[in-house]
Amino acid sequence: MMVSLYSAATGMWAQQYKLDTISNNLANVDTTGYKKVRAEFQDLVYQYYKNAGTPTAVNSTIPTGIYFGHGTRLSATTKIFSLGNMEYTGNALDVAITGDGFFQVQLQDGRTAYTRDGTFKVDSEGRVVTSNGLALIPNIVVPADAVAINISPDGIFSAEMQDGTVQNLGTITLVRFVNPSGLKAVGDNLYLETTASGEPIEGTPNQDGFGALQQGYLEKANVDVVKEMVDMITAQRAYELNARAIQTADNMLQTVSTLKR
Amino acid sequence: MLRGIYTAAMGMLLDMSKLDVTANNLANVETVAYKRDKLAFRAYQDRAIYALPDRRQPIGNLTYSAVLDDVFLDSSMGTFMKTDNPMDFAIDGEGFFSLLGEDGVYYSRAGNFKLNEEGYLVNTDGLMVLDENNQPIRFESSYVVDADGYIRDPVGNVITRLGIYNFDDPGELRKIGYTLFQPTEESGQPVVADEFRILSGYVELSNVNAIDEMVNLIEAQRHFEISQKALTVSDETLAKLISQVGSLK
């Protein structure tokens, strides 16, 4: 049957995926530390009916070829790790990374996950944990009689005690990856290391290219609502265009079928 | 048989080809740096006709049919989109990025690159991007790419330069899918491009113009219907000839 029917169908299919990523970006527009995802496309294979340069006669070749493309495919969904907006919360346990880097947290099964969501809490044992109760690595325990918490830009976590003394509780370290786009997003604002991301490189905040920590702030999603809306509009129109191509192909086939009455 | 039937049918086949090309362009309306395909038709079997078979007085030429002559790519630039991603590059002007393929160097204008786990700059499919010395580009720390394609470390020292090449006739490059191109005899061999500017943080969008393609769709469909009408009329004429003129009473 006609190649166009299938090419146009791949176009509609691709736009559905694009809309899926846009919807997810928009749904996470208020998610702390969320990084937007972009759908990327590539053209599919080409079928060559006549190759350019094929000899036709002595001293003569076909100057140009005839080929047909077979549509498009989704080639990647890339996470864009640009910085989100910083929002002031005033909460002493909210920390934002103003640059490169991830916090490390301990999963229930012992593995290490990575996040940029700095909404930390203190659990019943005084440990610093994420909203989901996952312990921060390195472990930091806040004494019960601490009255104030201070986190310096380079990660030093200290507490002011009731008696007025300041106690150093530890240092928050960050990790970064050669290819953060290769990290596997597993939901709950967490990422896991993959072979594509490379090994985590640990370091001190505010040094060696790592971002500084900003206490009392949270990093919002880096989703740009206007851009997502524009993308949504173009996705819808591209979908319609491809639907129209299918309709045209269908009409032409119908015309063929009425040739013999 | 009646020549009109075949001529009309050839016309209908061309419309189908036109639809195939248009549908592929529309499917790639959002493909990074996609270059749209265009078609050229040509008249086929022009023949001189004469007033009478024995009195060789020429009347003129009659075209028997049309065929698809050529599919070529429109290498004009697409529009640019800002992406906030430092790994995205767009070429403003002439030229193609060079990528290391399995059987030689491929060329592409799609600059939505990534870093692989070893720190090499690669495209979406993992093909390594080459510098001006045909070597893969590896980043060990952060970097800056300037408008001339020089890759510098944060201090400003030049590490290397992106390998950007151009062709005599980019319209004759061979498309192999995955937004990659290969040079052909007609396109000419790659030469180092100089009329370009690298935009970091931008991607080049597809150069498909939705309006043009919609017009092509409508044109193909209507032409198809008209050709079908011509075919049907030819057929009806033949039917009349057989049933009325040639019938035995």
Side-chain angles (χ1 to χ4, degrees), chain A residues 4 18 38 40 42-43 46 48 51 63-65 67 71-73 76 78 179 195 244 251-252 261, chain B residues 20 24 27-28 30 37 70-71 88 112 114-115 117 124-125 172 174-175 178-179 186 214 221 224 232:
Chain A
S4 50
K18 178 161 179 167
R38 181 178 77 197
E40 292 171 356
Q42 280 180 341
D43 46 359
Y46 286 82
Y48 285 81
N51 280 317
T64 49
Y67 59 90
T72 185
R73 72 170 185 131
T78 304
N179 176 25
T195 48
R244 187 64 205 266
N251 281 340
M252 281 167 63
R261 278 160 299 175
Chain B
D20 287 346
N24 187 50
N28 286 295
E30 298 247 31
D37 291 327
D70 182 11
V71 181
D88 286 333
N112 49 335
K114 327 255 178 277
L115 286 183
E117 68 272 20
T124 315
D125 294 311
E172 296 300 336
R174 182 186 168 97
K175 283 185 166 186
Y178 316 104
T179 44
E186 278 66 31
M214 276 322 273
Q221 188 187 342
F224 194 77
T232 316

Side-chain angles (χ1 to χ4, degrees), chain B residues 221-232:
Chain B
Q221 188 187 342
R222 295 302 170 205
H223 185 260
F224 194 77
E225 285 169 8
I226 292 163
S227 300
Q228 177 258 358
K229 195 81 192 166
L231 198 158
T232 316

